[in-house]
Amino acid sequence: MLNLSRETEDIIFWGSAFVSMACLPFTSIYDCELNLPETDDPEKMLRNGTYFTRGIWQRKYGEFRKRHQVRRIFLQSMTMDLSYRFILKRLAIDYLAFLYLIPFLSLLLSFGIIYFAPSGMSTISIFLILLATGVSCEFLYLTTVFLFSRSIFPKWLAEHPEYRNRANDIRLSYSNGKAFISGYSCVIIGDKYLHAFDGRSFYNVLRKEIQRTGWHIVRKVVRRRRYDDKYLFNIHFSSAGQKRHEDFKITLDQFQIKMIMDVLFPGTSDDNEVIMEVNYCSRHELRLFGDNSQPVMDDE
């Protein structure tokens, strides 16, 4: 057992306890949503096709179009952009694990150093060991995620060999296309191709092969909270090529979806064809740097 003074042991123990208590409140960050009043029923309006025709929704959509111009990705290349969004997705999924893991490791290392470290170790040495261990774990995790993120497009090319000779054209189309971005999700529309990424899977289809563009809306209900509902607005693409059929959905802001449907795919879009899904879950997934706007129900 390490021969430390009572004051030093108290500093280590209470310091670890403070880290634990400081991290735990962040585990409820996904609950910081603007819950809908109990009297509102957006799902009913979404299902019967009246949600998008209301004057208030049309007015807010018009205000959104005036404020938001179509842009390109802010990173220089497709590889960098996909890597960035993949990392955001992993952090959004793993943040709870890290918030629980940090206080657990802090307490574990504190007791280990106090009772098993060589005698004579100074307080500063203990601090440096704790700091170095934490930094090493974080570096190993981020390095692993980064290496996986660089393989997204090469993996997609391996699964779609018909596009291997057009890899450079796809990269250029992605970099110069019209970008619609929300958090780690994006839809990039070039002159020839449509590209999409949901933080995990990459999609690439020819624009001329898009047969249908519509709404796929997910109502996420947290079981332990009666009225903690969240709506995820997704744009649903359906295409049919000579060799394969692509059917996928990407989460975006509801007004971004409407812009894509109106401006870029007016002939294949219909606001009345809404796919509605209810998903029961234990918690909401954290979305970093952007989120869906929640249903427009009143004039506030």
Side-chain angles (χ1 to χ4, degrees), residues 265-280:
F265 296 97
T268 63
S269 303
D270 188 353
D271 291 333
N272 293 322
E273 296 184 17
V274 177
I275 300 174
M276 193 73 202
E277 175 185 344
V278 179
N279 183 359
Y280 292 92

Side-chain angles (χ1 to χ4, degrees), residues 15 42 60 75 101 149 168 200 218 225 227 252:
K60 291 198 172 186
L75 296 175
L101 186 62
S149 72
N168 290 332
R200 181 177 296 156
V218 180
R225 290 179 177 268
Y227 300 115
L252 294 174

Side-chain angles (χ1 to χ4, degrees), residues 67-178:
R67 296 193 310 267
H68 295 78
Q69 301 297 321
V70 177
R71 54 176 177 163
R72 297 180 181 179
I73 59 173
F74 65 91
L75 296 175
Q76 296 297 316
S77 69
M78 182 180 75
T79 300
M80 292 173 60
D81 192 72
L82 292 177
S83 178
Y84 166 73
R85 302 195 187 287
F86 179 84
I87 293 172
L88 282 185
K89 175 73 172 181
R90 291 313 316 172
L91 292 177
I93 294 174
D94 297 342
Y95 80 103
L96 275 183
F98 268 78
L99 288 173
Y100 283 118
L101 186 62
I102 289 172
F104 174 76
L105 287 178
S106 179
L107 287 170
L108 185 64
L109 288 171
S110 298
F111 283 113
I113 290 174
I114 291 172
Y115 290 101
F116 299 103
S119 60
M121 183 178 292
S122 64
T123 304
I124 188 64
S125 298
I126 296 173
F127 171 77
L128 291 175
I129 290 175
L130 290 172
L131 180 62
T133 303
V135 171
S136 299
C137 291
E138 294 286 346
F139 179 77
L140 179 62
Y141 165 77
L142 291 175
T143 301
T144 303
V145 172
F146 176 76
L147 292 176
F148 273 104
S149 72
R150 306 293 287 187
S151 65
I152 294 171
F153 186 58
K155 180 181 177 182
W156 180 86
L157 277 180
E159 296 172 351
H160 300 78
E162 67 273 19
Y163 286 103
R164 286 178 182 172
N165 295 331
R166 291 176 276 174
N168 290 332
D169 291 338
I170 293 174
R171 291 189 181 97
L172 187 62
S173 173
Y174 188 102
S175 299
N176 296 327
K178 300 178 179 66

Side-chain angles (χ1 to χ4, degrees), residues 137-261:
C137 291
E138 294 286 346
F139 179 77
L140 179 62
Y141 165 77
L142 291 175
T143 301
T144 303
V145 172
F146 176 76
L147 292 176
F148 273 104
S149 72
R150 306 293 287 187
S151 65
I152 294 171
F153 186 58
K155 180 181 177 182
W156 180 86
L157 277 180
E159 296 172 351
H160 300 78
E162 67 273 19
Y163 286 103
R164 286 178 182 172
N165 295 331
R166 291 176 276 174
N168 290 332
D169 291 338
I170 293 174
R171 291 189 181 97
L172 187 62
S173 173
Y174 188 102
S175 299
N176 296 327
K178 300 178 179 66
F180 299 84
I181 298 168
S182 178
Y184 44 73
S185 302
C186 68
V187 172
I188 313 294
I189 303 174
D191 294 334
K192 185 178 180 181
Y193 297 101
L194 181 146
H195 322 274
F197 187 60
D198 62 4
R200 181 177 296 156
S201 300
F202 175 74
Y203 304 94
N204 182 88
V205 296
L206 291 169
R207 284 186 58 173
K208 64 181 182 180
E209 294 179 351
I210 299 294
Q211 292 187 329
R212 182 182 179 277
T213 307
W215 296 88
H216 186 121
I217 302 172
V218 180
R219 179 184 180 186
K220 298 194 72 173
V221 181
V222 178
R223 291 190 179 93
R224 61 186 177 83
R225 290 179 177 268
R226 186 177 180 184
Y227 300 115
D228 191 13
D229 294 357
K230 182 177 180 181
Y231 287 78
L232 298 180
F233 290 85
N234 302 274
I235 184 167
H236 175 252
F237 293 103
S238 181
S239 68
Q242 296 180 352
K243 295 185 178 181
R244 66 177 71 242
H245 174 79
E246 291 281 359
D247 195 60
F248 57 93
K249 58 186 175 74
I250 302 294
T251 303
L252 294 174
D253 184 273
Q254 59 184 306
F255 299 126
Q256 288 179 318
I257 294 174
K258 182 63 173 173
M259 280 185 66
I260 294 174
M261 294 169 65

